[in-house]
Amino acid sequence: LSGCMRRVQHRLLGQFHTGVPTAMFQGLLVGAALENIHQNSLWDVDWATGAVKDGLLAVRDKLSEEGRSLTDAAEKGIPDTVLNCIACVSHYIERFAPKFICCEFIGVEVPIRWTLEDHPLHEEPIEFASHLDLIIRDTEGVWGMGVGRLIVIDWKYHRECPSYPALYRNMQL
């Protein structure tokens, strides 16, 4: 039932809230920590723990505002999730800080809307609304795509690539 498209539609309209499972909580937590790191240029790996702990407070506040809560399993697993997130954020800083330091920060969680006007299978325009996890400008060409190029980064927290059916159920721009 969790894959039912009508249920997904009601959830996206804010008419139905489910408990936040561990995997989603981890994604929200790492996202909040990385948002803090990018906004405040915290590129020392020693700041990873603080960023994750601040992210934990931010995620709890956001879920509370939305009237949502963690599942029992996610709540019990918070200590392990926090440790996993600290390791993930530390690795992110170690691996990417040298590149991000050379780039202009544009924004995180940037809202985006897009309309597809002419589609052969649809008479009406198709509207998309989403957000971009991170946008930077590569001011020195360190990402290898050219100096001055905008780069959009979509954070993922999976050990394996998602399957086609999973991508189809969770469409993003």
Side-chain angles (χ1 to χ4, degrees):
L1 183 65
S2 64
C4 170
M5 292 308 288
R6 180 61 77 185
R7 181 177 177 178
V8 170
Q9 181 182 15
H10 285 294
R11 181 180 54 79
L12 293 175
L13 292 172
Q15 299 167 342
F16 176 75
H17 293 292
T18 58
V20 176
T22 301
M24 181 184 291
F25 172 57
Q26 180 169 318
L28 292 170
L29 183 51
V30 171
L34 294 181
E35 182 175 349
N36 184 9
I37 286 167
H38 280 280
Q39 287 178 333
N40 298 299
S41 297
L42 305 175
W43 294 116
D44 188 312
V45 79
D46 293 335
W47 292 322
T49 299
V52 171
K53 289 184 177 180
D54 289 347
L56 179 59
L57 297 174
V59 169
R60 283 195 175 278
D61 287 347
K62 181 179 180 187
L63 293 177
S64 178
E65 287 172 15
E66 295 173 354
R68 301 173 72 192
S69 60
L70 299 176
T71 61
D72 290 341
E75 192 71 48
K76 289 177 187 171
I78 286 176
D80 288 337
T81 301
V82 167
L83 290 176
N84 289 338
C85 290
I86 291 169
C88 179
V89 169
S90 297
H91 180 68
Y92 183 88
I93 292 170
E94 289 170 353
R95 184 169 181 192
F96 297 117
K99 289 187 177 194
F100 285 126
I101 288 169
C102 299
C103 296
E104 176 189 355
F105 170 74
I106 304 293
V108 292
E109 298 292 320
V110 178
I112 184 168
R113 293 192 175 278
W114 183 61
T115 303
L116 178 61
E117 298 287 343
D118 298 315
H119 190 280
L121 301 177
H122 297 277
E123 292 180 23
E124 297 294 320
I126 301 171
E127 301 277 335
F128 292 93
S130 188
H131 71 277
L132 302 174
D133 290 340
L134 173 65
I135 302 176
I136 58 172
R137 182 175 306 281
D138 188 353
T139 55
E140 296 183 21
V142 295
W143 290 92
M145 298 185 199
V147 174
R149 299 290 301 262
L150 284 178
I151 297 178
V152 175
I153 297 175
D154 187 40
W155 294 315
K156 296 292 180 212
Y157 310 98
H158 303 283
R159 292 182 184 202
E160 299 173 3
C161 293
S163 66
Y164 177 78
L167 290 173
Y168 186 77
R169 285 191 311 271
N170 298 287
M171 286 191 258
Q172 296 182 353
L173 275 183

